[in-house]
Amino acid sequence: MSSMKRCMHDRARGIPTLLAGALTLALALTGGPATAAQQGTAIAAQQGSLHELAVAQGKYFGSATDNPELTDAAYTAILGSEFGQITPGNSMKWDTTEPVQGQFNFAKGDVVTDFAAQHGQTVRGHTLVWHSQLPSWVGALPSAQVEAAMTRHITEEATHYRGAVTAWDVVNEPFNEDGTFRTSPFYTAMGSDYIATALRAAHAADPDAKLYLNDYNIEGLGAKSDAMYTLVTELLDEGVPLDGVGMQAHLAVQYGFPYQMQANMQRFADLGLDVAVTELDVRMALPADAAKTTTQSGYYRQVVEACLAVERCVGITVWDYTDKYSWVPSTFPGQGAANLYDENLAPKPALSAVRTALGGADDGGDDGGEGGDPGALKAQYRNSDSSVGDNQIKPGLQLVNTGTTAVGLSDVTLRYWFTAGSGAPDYRTWCDWSPIGCNTVTHRVVAMDTPKAGADHYLEVGFGSGSLAPGASTGEIQMRLNKSDWSVFDESDDYSHGSGTSYADAPRIAVYVDGEQVWGVAP
Ligand code: G3I
């Protein structure tokens, strides 16, 4: 790093301006009333930037960005003032930096590192080796040539950015959801050894950069994070240069909060690794409403709280800070509103939640953690059964704590109502899988004394032990039931039955605490 760049990276951020002064500035610049975005900047200026709040807690706070957005002055004003770290969303990927074998182009990435240098920000390099956004020539190489091509790519890029990039996502998304290695030209040519080879090449090119493996859906305990844990344990045992694990954290309100995120982070930290939240956003099915927005704020807050609680969690990067430039709507049609600021760059409740969690003053926004019902519970459901006329009923259930205090699970039950049809009157019930462990899940079928439309029985699900932290979800509980004679059901008119295959709030599934109904509408 040049001495100038290093000086800019190290310098303290400016003293916050007073709110009144910032609003006056906004008025002076526009000649009119302050816009929502300007008011947001002004509030931030009064309280200290997100990064300043994070630094006070020993962390950084960053954002992804992308070259086309850097011409948007209102956008760059917030990017340059609120965030102490940036990650290029696309411009350091292989398809941009080496589109043709041996022809390297770092122009777009250089724009990002220059912006960072001008704003005293660090840069996370993203990414050296990834199966996606990979030019087709790599996949067309004979297997015997892939290792040399990969090593050359890493060497050229990491050397180019030496001093300007402080941490690299060396390998991105190496795992499938079940924890098996993802197939890619690299895996096909070298097996899982490509990961160690990539890390060694990156270390040789830039011994000062922190080297990470980065993936999504490894934020909570589960099969995929177990696979990452096993891999990094082996790499460390072999002396492979590795500094940290990046947890992308592309969350969604309909899927619940990752199971035991803090504990999961801590187990990586206990190996002597850094942990970083690298791509945080929390999407939802559109349109947004108050309940989804509150859940979203709670998830943002919980991620910050988990990072603050784990000393080796070095910081958090949001995958861009505004809905204006989110990747979500194009990848998940019908979903969005995932970021801290809206499409007009106005602050959202999630921003208040993050600020408050980082120790900033509460600006009065609904941050998903203040003013809510303590211990408020809700049920979410998805249909895991494509047939409404077979011999099993398969509800996927989740219990979510939207309140501000932990809830003891042993007091909680859920009810899913259905009609039995003809056949044997006795039932078998099963918990097929849950991240909380099916051994803690209790279940039975109860016949109703007074049948209702669409309901003469209900599946009751309970918990032997455990508690649900504020904002936490049990994660999915895959339930199944059948009659003892395996006769068929007609689920089409069952009271609690739905057709959605993604988790969503389910008012026709009730939640009870100590027998008192706290969520849902009984038939
Ligand atoms: O550059 C072309 C442009 O020339 C063309 O006109 C246009 C038409 O579709 O496409 C443009 O490329 C797009 C590129 O972003 C740059 O904007 C691609 O289509 C689009 O697929 C690509 O999306 C990126 C995505 O990675 C690709 O997988 C997102 O912007 C980027 O935010 C996203 O980031 C990933 C992380 O790298 C890894 N973790 C998940 C995360 C979200 O998917």
Side-chain angles (χ1 to χ4, degrees), residues 66 89-90 93 126 130 132-133 172-173 248 250 279 319 327:
D66 208 356
N90 285 295
K93 291 172 178 174
H126 176 81
W130 190 26
S132 180
Q133 287 174 286
N172 195 37
E173 302 174 5
Q248 293 185 6
H250 291 294
E279 305 183 15
W319 205 242
W327 66 289

Side-chain angles (χ1 to χ4, degrees), residues 52-73:
E52 287 165 340
L53 293 171
V55 166
Q57 306 276 356
K59 320 285 181 190
Y60 61 79
F61 206 95
S63 175
T65 189
D66 208 356
N67 294 63
E69 305 152 29
L70 294 175
T71 58
D72 178 342

Side-chain angles (χ1 to χ4, degrees), residues 235-270:
L235 291 169
L236 292 173
D237 286 349
E238 292 163 19
V240 176
L242 174 69
D243 297 290
V245 170
M247 300 178 173
Q248 293 185 6
H250 291 294
L251 310 183
V253 298
Q254 64 270 28
Y255 297 136
F257 192 77
Y259 179 59
Q260 295 203 3
M261 184 169 190
Q262 181 185 323
N264 187 44
M265 283 180 163
Q266 189 63 53
R267 67 171 170 162
F268 287 100
D270 289 344

Side-chain angles (χ1 to χ4, degrees), residues 296-484:
Q296 176 186 60
S297 299
Y299 287 9
Y300 270 104
R301 174 175 51 78
Q302 281 183 268
V303 170
V304 173
E305 287 172 352
C307 184
L308 293 183
V310 176
E311 196 177 349
R312 295 295 297 260
C313 178
V314 293
I316 296 171
T317 307
V318 290
W319 205 242
D320 227 316
Y321 71 82
T322 161
D323 296 339
K324 186 173 185 181
Y325 297 120
S326 173
W327 66 289
V328 169
S330 59
T331 304
F332 298 102
Q335 296 186 45
N339 303 86
L340 297 175
Y341 292 70
D342 74 11
E343 294 187 341
N344 299 312
L345 305 183
K348 291 162 59 177
L351 181 65
S352 299
V354 169
R355 279 193 192 291
T356 309
L358 287 172
D362 184 355
D363 64 5
D366 176 8
D367 64 9
E370 309 273 331
D373 291 340
L377 294 170
K378 68 177 180 181
Q380 296 184 323
Y381 162 81
R382 77 166 180 184
N383 181 5
S384 317
D385 187 353
S386 55
S387 169
V388 293
D390 64 2
N391 55 17
Q392 299 186 78
I393 299 177
K394 301 176 188 170
L397 305 176
Q398 292 189 151
L399 180 70
V400 181
N401 181 358
T402 59
T404 55
T405 57
V407 176
L409 284 175
S410 53
D411 300 331
V412 178
T413 53
L414 297 91
R415 287 184 192 178
Y416 175 98
W417 283 276
F418 64 96
T419 48
S422 57
D426 47 335
Y427 290 80
R428 302 285 305 274
T429 57
W430 319 80
C431 172
D432 285 331
W433 187 80
S434 175
I436 62 170
C438 276
N439 55 351
T440 69
V441 178
T442 61
H443 35 90
R444 61 175 182 152
V445 164
V446 177
M448 294 164 66
D449 293 336
T450 314
K452 302 279 172 60
D456 49 32
H457 289 71
Y458 58 84
L459 169 67
E460 184 179 72
V461 174
F463 306 89
S465 60
S467 75
L468 202 54
S473 165
T474 56
E476 67 174 325
I477 306 165
Q478 293 180 6
M479 294 304 306
R480 187 163 53 89
L481 66 94
N482 60 272
K483 287 175 270 190
S484 60

Side-chain angles (χ1 to χ4, degrees), residues 165-170 206 208-212 243-244 274:
V165 159
T166 52
W168 272 108
D169 292 327
V170 177
D206 185 355
D208 294 330
K210 299 285 188 191
L211 304 183
Y212 280 71
D243 297 290
D274 286 343

